[in-house]
Structures are given as structure tokens and as C-alpha cells.
Amino acid sequence: MTDRYAVFGHPIAHSKSPLIHASFAQQTGQDLVYEAILAPLDGFVDSIRQFQTNGGKGANITIPFKEQAFSLCKQRTPRAELAGAVNTLVFADNAITGDNTDGAGLIADLTHNLGFALADKHVLLLGAGGAARGVIGPLLECSPASLVIANRTANRAHDLAAHFQHQGFHTVSACGLGELNAPFDLIINATAASLGGELPPISSQVFKSHALAYDMMYGKDITPFMKLAQRHGAHIADGLGMLVEQAAEAFYLWRGVRPATASVIAALRAA
Ligand code: NDP
């Protein structure tokens, strides 16, 4: 019987995940279907239970349910535990295990696809929401010289930095967006500003010449953040590679087969 998987979110119509997983399944010869399911804002857990009861084997979770998914799972992987958010569910024997593949996706895109070595680099992470939470642990595990989390609401950044310092990571610190005045090797925009075509209010001094400016947002146009970075001599990248890489990591968890990603990224870009 064909195995069922799905991504749950609200909204969900825009999701590229069904396309990506269909492409992985075809490439690896796996017999599965993957659909996008709009979960009601007040009915996420019921939607997941229903899917599991009807034979679902696993799921991805996106905005705004990653923290509810974390609470739902009795079993969680260490990286999901560290992130405090879950984006991948594995169903087996009536149990649900929660994982978070966002960080692995970002690191794979940075290191394998973009050739950026994180060790000893000064890294700036803009944002303190769900996407930022998922990538901080994996970034710190790559031994950057420093990681500064900067957020519009500075307290949220300070809380996140304190959480990771408490886990033994002493190179992480936090500040408000207006306090930034030093240059960084890697600047990651994990704010939702680009979604609304806005620029996070940051000084252009953060862009060291030849730095990499990475916007987690993806779309056909370059974002105001990427434009600013480019004007100040930085290289730019969007989040499409991260999206495909986090999906590949989830696919591997479910099927035990790691799909190739380069052709999928290229096909999505061409489309
Ligand atoms: P959240 O809603 O959880 O967090 C939003 C963050 O953005 C908060 O830190 C918020 O600050 C900040 N923010 C919102 N608007 C602005 C603004 N105008 N200026 C400055 N800061 C702002 O969203 P997520 O963390 O889930 O998503 C963030 C981005 O990452 C989105 O663009 C999303 O599409 C992308 N993403 C990409 C993925 C990929 O695979 N490529 C995976 C996951 C997310 P405050 O705390 O002050 O409200």
C-alpha cells in the first residue's frame, strides 16, 4: 500500500513541500504520496491524530504549529529538544516522535551548496522566532567564533541566548537590531520582514566586504535585505536551498534513503 505523508500548516496552499517530496520519491523509487493539509488554527492536534489514524506515516509541520507539535510529541530528538520546536513527525506503533530538520537544512545549504565554512566565523542571526530557534543549536555546533542573535524585540533574543548559554554554548550573545555596529562574516535574516517586502532596520556596517548574506525567505525576486547586502559588497543567497535540504533530511528520517537535492533545487529555481 502507498504510504501517506503530509505537511500541516495555516496557510498552506503556497507550500512547495508536496512538489519536493514527489520529486524525491520519484528519484529514489519510494512508493509514497505527500499532500498539503490546512489544519484549523484551533484544531491542529485533532488533524494530526486523524491523519495518523487513517494510516499516515509521518508529517512536516509549518507556520504556526511548530511549538504545538513540540508539545504533542512524547518523544523528541535531542535537536528538537534544543530548538523547542518540531517540524517533522514520525509515526510508528501509535507513538509520535518529533524532530527538527530546519537547522540541518540550513547547515547543509551553507556548507555543501554554498561552500561556506562556519568554523571561526563571526555570525549574525536576525530574528528570534520559530525559524531562528531551529537553527541556533546546529549553527553553534559548527564552532563559529561568535553568534549574535539580534531581534526587533530585544528581550526575545536575550531569552534565546540565555537558553543556549545554559546548554553550555558560551559564544552566543544577544542584542536589539539598533545596537548592531560591528561587521560579520555571515548575516542570516530569519526575520519575517522579507515576507512583507520590508527591510529589518539594521546598520549596513554589519556587512563585512565579501560576507555572505543569507535570507531564509525565498521567492522570484531578491529581497530588500539581499539588495542592501549586495550594495555593501556581500554575496547573497536565499532560503530555497534550506527548504529543500530540510525536506531531504525529513525524507531520510522517514524512508532511510537520502535523496539528491541539487537537481530539485535547480528545478524549483527554473520554475
Ligand atoms: P516567526 O513569526 O516565528 O518570527 C518572526 C520573526 O521576525 C520575529 O523575530 C520578529 O520579531 C521578526 N520580524 C517580523 N517582522 C519584522 C520586521 N518588519 N522587521 C524586523 N523583524 C521582524 O516566523 P518564522 O521564524 O517561522 O519565519 C521567519 C522567516 O523564515 C520567514 O520569512 C519564513 O518564510 C522563513 N523560513 C524559511 C525556511 C526555509 O526552509 N527556507 C524555514 C522556516 C522559515 P519580533 O520578535 O520583534 O516580533
Side-chain angles (χ1 to χ4, degrees), residues 45 48 68 72 81 120 131 169 190 237 270:
V45 172
I48 293 290
Q68 278 188 63
L72 170 71
E81 207 65 62
D120 302 322
F169 294 107

Side-chain angles (χ1 to χ4, degrees), residues 55-112:
K57 297 280 185 198
N60 285 131
I61 310 301
T62 186
I63 290 177
F65 299 125
K66 288 183 187 177
E67 279 156 41
Q68 278 188 63
F70 180 86
S71 307
L72 170 71
C73 297
K74 297 275 181 295
Q75 296 168 177
R76 294 183 288 248
T77 60
R79 60 188 178 180
E81 207 65 62
L82 195 57
V86 156
N87 81 334
T88 304
L89 304 178
V90 182
F91 304 138
D93 305 327
N94 282 331
I96 307 180
T97 302
D99 199 352
N100 191 315
T101 65
D102 279 339
L106 174 67
I107 301 299
D109 196 33
L110 286 172
T111 58
H112 300 149

Side-chain angles (χ1 to χ4, degrees), residues 213-231:
Y214 189 103
D215 200 325
M216 283 196 190
M217 163 89 179
Y218 45 86
K220 64 177 171 33
D221 300 319
I222 71 167
T223 66
F225 166 79
M226 290 158 82
K227 281 184 190 150
L228 178 73
Q230 223 171 22
R231 276 206 304 276

Side-chain angles (χ1 to χ4, degrees), residues 14 62-64 66-67 87 102 105-106 109 126-133 135 150-154 156-157 160 177 189-196 198-202 214-218 238-247:
H14 65 286
T62 186
I63 290 177
K66 288 183 187 177
E67 279 156 41
N87 81 334
D102 279 339
L106 174 67
D109 196 33
L126 304 171
R133 277 196 93 93
V135 303
N151 195 45
R152 182 174 62 181
T153 309
R156 292 186 75 195
L160 263 185
L177 294 178
N189 184 14
T191 73
S194 300
L195 281 173
E198 289 173 33
L199 180 67
I202 49 167
Y214 189 103
D215 200 325
M216 283 196 190
M217 163 89 179
Y218 45 86
D238 70 11
L240 187 68
M242 173 180 170
L243 177 78
V244 174
E245 295 294 347
Q246 64 77 29

Side-chain angles (χ1 to χ4, degrees), residues 10-169:
H10 191 123
I12 200 62
H14 65 286
S15 176
K16 294 189 190 307
S17 294
L19 260 176
I20 295 171
H21 283 278
S23 172
F24 288 165
Q26 189 184 30
Q27 179 200 124
T28 58
Q30 296 283 308
D31 185 14
L32 62 87
V33 290
Y34 186 110
E35 58 199 297
I37 296 180
L38 179 74
L41 287 173
D42 59 353
F44 168 69
V45 172
D46 287 346
S47 298
I48 293 290
R49 296 269 183 230
Q50 194 182 14
F51 184 67
Q52 189 182 16
T53 305
N54 291 339
K57 297 280 185 198
N60 285 131
I61 310 301
T62 186
I63 290 177
F65 299 125
K66 288 183 187 177
E67 279 156 41
Q68 278 188 63
F70 180 86
S71 307
L72 170 71
C73 297
K74 297 275 181 295
Q75 296 168 177
R76 294 183 288 248
T77 60
R79 60 188 178 180
E81 207 65 62
L82 195 57
V86 156
N87 81 334
T88 304
L89 304 178
V90 182
F91 304 138
D93 305 327
N94 282 331
I96 307 180
T97 302
D99 199 352
N100 191 315
T101 65
D102 279 339
L106 174 67
I107 301 299
D109 196 33
L110 286 172
T111 58
H112 300 149
N113 302 338
L114 300 169
F116 188 92
L118 280 149
D120 302 322
K121 297 294 192 329
H122 293 281
V123 180
L124 171 61
L125 179 66
L126 304 171
R133 277 196 93 93
V135 303
I136 294 169
L139 281 171
L140 288 167
E141 281 161 4
C142 293
S143 307
S146 66
L147 174 65
V148 176
I149 307 167
N151 195 45
R152 182 174 62 181
T153 309
N155 280 348
R156 292 186 75 195
H158 284 291
D159 289 350
L160 263 185
H163 170 73
F164 283 90
Q165 284 160 359
H166 191 67
Q167 306 294 322
F169 294 107

